[in-house]
């Protein structure tokens, strides 16, 4: 995108607060494009293909994984960024990286690891995403991690406890001073929500765990479904769902773009500094926000708490806990490169990094290697 199309409140790569390890400027790309490219080439990004979003990878080939989820987030974020004159490269980089720190087995894995790490400062997947790009990726001769720009790193750190903010230095500052991140970061955050609400409807229906008739009680779904039924009668379910979901995404993206534009102009914000001091500016209108809340509530009650999902997540939590305990009890069971790190710090953090990095299927295999008597 030519620079002159960017709004004055967008993040400009030439005004970046820079990288932790100074590097020469790229010849043909902007600094934020380089960040996006480094994320795509990282090992942690490829592992997202085999990490659970809601459904465990082996449950079906058409369900979202963390990789396809992240790509959908980036697609939505870029559409809105273009509409608002924001920096597409930065919002794409943040979107693609936002889940790099997720454990295997989705939120069940994260809760289990957080419990395991309770006496060691806990485990937060946002913070872990930052650890991945700051320390855990090993690709470059001169530094650990991907050495991303401040703005990308700050955007990845969506939430953070006060204690951790104090330990993090520059990227933790905004939590302590109650300031906002860039609009690109705010946007990636809302795009995440648009993506999962919609693909979870789609995956939920595909799995048969929720039905169209239950969703008729959810306003956001019902009003778009009725529109499709009225204009395109007699569609088979697959097309009916797809036509409904694409309309919902369109409504959300349009509402988000229009409302955010009004808020930015209403607040008189015309610089990145202005963005940081203003209240959150990227968001839905009140009516659409309420509809999204209703949908989220429905998905929590009917999909995420469905016994089939809970049965899987309970098993996943046991696997994560068992792996953690076994490695902490005897770090000699860790692969060599992780064992070496045990000498540098508490074994719990090294083990948490190792377990968090696992894909679902690797975690299952590792569990079998450690505990199955007949599969040694
Ligand atoms: Mg996400």
């Amino acid at each position: 995108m030519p620079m002159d199309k960017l709004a004055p409140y967008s993040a400009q790569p030439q005004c970046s607060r820079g990288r932790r390890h100074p590097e020469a400027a790229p010849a043909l790309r902007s600094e934020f494009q380089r960040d996006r490219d480094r994320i795509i080439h990282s090992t942690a990004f490829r592992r997202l293909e085999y990490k659970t979003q809601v459904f465990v990878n082996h449950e079906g080939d058409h369900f979202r994984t963390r990789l396809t989820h992240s790509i959908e987030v980036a697609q939505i974020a870029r559409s809105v960024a273009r509409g608002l004159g924001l920096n597409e490269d930065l919002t794409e980089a943040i979107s693609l990286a936002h889940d790099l720190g997720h454990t295997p087995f989705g939120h069940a894995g994260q809760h289990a690891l957080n419990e395991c790490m309770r006496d060691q400062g806990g485990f937060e997947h946002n913070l872990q995403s930052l650890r991945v790009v700051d320390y855990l990726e090993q690709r470059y001769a001169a530094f650990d991690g991907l050495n991303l720009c401040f703005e990308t790193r700050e955007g990845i750190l969506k939430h953070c406890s006060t204690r951790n903010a104090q330990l993090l230095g520059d990227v933790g500052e905004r939590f302590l001073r109650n300031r906002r991140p860039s609009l690109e970061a705010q946007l990636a955050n809302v795009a995440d929500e648009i993506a999962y609400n919609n693909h979870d409807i789609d995956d939920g229906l595909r799995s048969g765990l929720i039905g169209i008739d239950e969703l008729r009680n959810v306003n956001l779904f019902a009003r778009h479904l009725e529109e499709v039924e009225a204009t395109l009668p007699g569609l088979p379910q697959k097309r009916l769902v797809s036509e409904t979901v694409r309309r919902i995404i369109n409504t959300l993206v349009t509402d988000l773009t229009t409302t955010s534009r009004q808020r930015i102009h209403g607040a008189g914000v015309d610089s990145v500094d202005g963005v940081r001091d203003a209240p959150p500016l990227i968001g839905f209108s009140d009516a659409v926000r309420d509809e999204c809340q209703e949908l989220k509530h429905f998905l929590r009650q009917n999909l995420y708490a469905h016994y089939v999902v809970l049965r899987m997540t309970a098993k996943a939590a046991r696997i994560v806990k068992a792996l953690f305990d076994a490695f902490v009890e005897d770090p000699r069971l860790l692969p060599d490169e992780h064992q070496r790190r045990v000498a540098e710090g508490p074994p719990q953090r090294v083990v948490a990094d190792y377990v968090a990095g696992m894909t679902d299927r690797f975690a299952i295999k590792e569990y079998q290697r450690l505990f199955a008597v007949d599969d040694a």
Side-chain angles (χ1 to χ4, degrees):
M1 181 195 276
M3 292 300 173
D4 58 4
K5 291 271 182 65
L6 291 182
Y9 43 77
S10 69
Q12 314 273 345
Q14 65 274 25
C15 303
S16 169
R17 283 174 63 177
R19 302 175 189 276
R20 297 203 298 171
H21 306 275
E23 292 186 69
L28 300 170
R29 301 172 288 179
S30 77
E31 296 285 5
F32 297 149
Q33 277 178 287
R34 173 149 76 178
D35 281 4
R36 188 260 330 270
D37 299 346
R38 285 185 176 183
I39 290 159
I40 288 176
H41 286 274
S42 70
T43 313
F45 185 70
R46 287 193 296 282
R47 286 199 301 253
L48 295 178
E49 183 173 3
Y50 298 104
K51 289 196 178 201
T52 291
Q53 184 63 30
V54 173
F55 295 91
V56 176
N57 185 261
H58 61 250
E59 290 182 302
D61 291 347
H62 293 155
F63 294 123
R64 268 66 173 190
T65 66
R66 285 233 172 249
L67 181 65
T68 61
H69 161 71
S70 301
I71 293 170
E72 289 182 31
V73 175
Q75 180 274 313
I76 290 165
R78 285 190 56 186
S79 291
V80 179
R82 191 169 299 192
L84 293 174
L86 300 181
N87 192 300
E88 284 181 53
D89 299 321
L90 176 58
T91 210
E92 184 182 15
I94 295 168
S95 300
L96 292 176
H98 84 283
D99 272 350
L100 288 179
H102 247 294
T103 60
F105 311 117
H107 287 283
Q110 128 107 9
H111 288 312
L113 209 47
N114 190 28
E115 282 291 303
C116 294
M117 290 295 288
R118 204 201 298 243
D119 297 335
Q120 302 288 326
F123 178 91
E124 298 172 25
H125 72 261
N126 276 293
L127 195 57
Q128 191 68 11
S129 295
L130 190 66
R131 266 179 85 72
V132 168
V133 300
D134 279 356
Y135 302 108
L136 297 176
E137 279 290 316
Q138 296 177 0
R139 307 182 63 76
Y140 300 94
F143 44 77
D144 286 337
L146 304 179
N147 197 31
L148 303 180
C149 293
F150 169 83
E151 292 74 13
T152 311
R153 297 171 55 233
E154 186 195 48
I156 290 171
L157 193 66
K158 195 161 63 175
H159 322 283
C160 162
S161 63
T162 306
R163 180 181 167 275
N164 284 328
Q166 284 161 342
L167 298 172
L168 283 171
D170 56 1
V171 284
E173 254 171 45
R174 73 180 173 90
F175 297 98
L176 304 174
R177 296 173 58 198
N178 191 27
R179 297 185 91 204
R180 250 52 61 194
S182 67
L183 294 177
E184 287 79 359
Q186 295 181 35
L187 171 54
N189 189 11
V190 183
D192 184 23
E193 194 182 318
I194 297 180
Y196 68 67
N197 277 334
N198 282 284
H199 63 50
D200 289 350
I201 294 176
D202 190 41
D203 283 352
L205 289 168
R206 185 188 303 280
S207 68
L209 300 187
I210 55 175
I212 284 193
D213 284 335
E214 295 165 80
L215 274 161
R216 282 184 196 276
N217 300 316
V218 179
N219 201 44
L220 187 65
F221 186 87
R223 69 182 170 100
H224 291 92
L225 177 71
E226 284 159 19
E227 185 190 311
V228 178
E229 286 174 331
T231 51
L232 300 163
L235 283 182
Q237 172 157 331
K238 218 159 90 177
R239 288 177 199 256
L240 180 65
V241 171
S242 171
E243 286 287 349
T244 305
V245 169
R246 67 186 278 251
R247 279 168 175 76
I248 300 175
I249 295 176
N250 186 52
T251 293
L252 298 180
V253 164
T254 308
D255 183 82
L256 182 64
T257 307
T258 314
T259 310
S260 302
R261 187 182 292 126
Q262 283 164 359
R263 281 199 200 151
I264 293 164
H265 293 309
V269 164
D270 60 1
S271 69
V272 171
D273 253 358
V275 167
R276 293 181 173 281
D277 289 327
L281 295 170
I282 302 291
F284 299 114
S285 62
D286 290 349
V288 167
R289 192 203 54 219
D290 290 349
E291 284 189 323
C292 287
Q293 287 302 335
E294 188 198 19
L295 172 60
K296 270 190 187 177
H297 180 75
F298 172 88
L299 289 170
R300 255 199 314 273
Q301 299 280 311
N302 296 280
L303 181 60
Y304 313 142
H306 192 287
Y307 81 93
V308 170
V309 173
L310 291 181
R311 197 171 56 189
M312 179 279 285
T313 56
K315 185 159 68 175
R318 277 197 294 277
I319 293 174
V320 166
K321 186 172 185 320
L323 290 175
F324 180 90
D325 289 344
F327 288 124
V328 168
E329 195 180 311
D330 188 354
R332 292 172 309 168
L333 300 176
L334 288 164
D336 286 343
E337 59 172 299
H338 297 275
Q339 268 193 53
R340 273 193 291 276
R341 286 192 49 223
V342 172
E344 298 161 15
Q348 287 90 342
R349 187 57 67 187
V350 177
V351 171
D353 286 339
Y354 180 50
V355 174
M358 292 179 183
T359 61
D360 297 355
R361 61 185 191 171
F362 185 88
I364 292 168
K365 269 191 209 146
E366 192 74 341
Y367 181 88
Q368 286 166 342
R369 280 191 287 259
L370 284 169
F371 298 105
V373 179
D374 56 353
D375 196 22

